[in-house]
Amino acid sequence: MNEQYQPQNTNNNVLPQSTMAIVSLVAGILGFTLFPVIASIVAIFTGYAARKETRSVPPIASGDGMATAGIIMGWIQIGLAIVSICCLIVYFVFVIGLVGSSAGQY
């Protein structure tokens, strides 16, 4: 009679998902879509915080893969932003050079 009131699945070894890892993954995705720089920085900081949670001894939460994915997406987006800024600077230097060289011809 007591058997029907006991829970069927009592696995106490399952860790909860890290909220920081979920935030890192979502911010990494948002870094590629809506908020390139801000979300990428958030993804990097929350990803490292989540990895600290998941790699502690004993682990507090699971989600190391999500944290790593958020960190990687954040750094890729920061790298793309730096390359874009460099290309923009080169473009303006080139345009200013063309305007300056053609202004003396008239």
Side-chain angles (χ1 to χ4, degrees):
M1 185 140 194
N2 291 336
E3 293 178 11
Q4 65 181 342
Y5 295 112
Q6 294 178 353
Q8 296 295 326
N9 189 2
T10 57
N11 190 358
N12 294 332
N13 295 333
V14 176
L15 294 172
Q17 289 289 329
S18 172
T19 305
M20 293 290 224
I22 296 170
V23 169
S24 176
L25 183 64
V26 170
I29 293 169
L30 287 176
F32 279 106
T33 55
L34 296 177
F35 308 110
V37 177
I38 297 169
S40 299
I41 293 170
V42 169
I44 291 169
F45 283 122
T46 57
Y48 283 122
R51 284 180 71 187
K52 187 176 180 181
E53 285 180 354
T54 59
R55 293 184 178 185
S56 65
V57 178
I60 299 170
S62 64
D64 190 54
M66 290 189 293
T68 304
I71 291 169
I72 291 171
M73 285 190 282
W75 280 116
I76 288 172
Q77 187 60 32
I78 294 294
L80 288 173
I82 290 171
V83 168
S84 299
I85 290 170
C86 290
C87 289
L88 191 64
I89 290 170
V90 168
Y91 171 75
F92 281 122
V93 167
F94 181 73
V95 167
I96 290 170
L98 279 178
V99 169
S101 66
S102 65
Q105 293 177 355
Y106 295 112

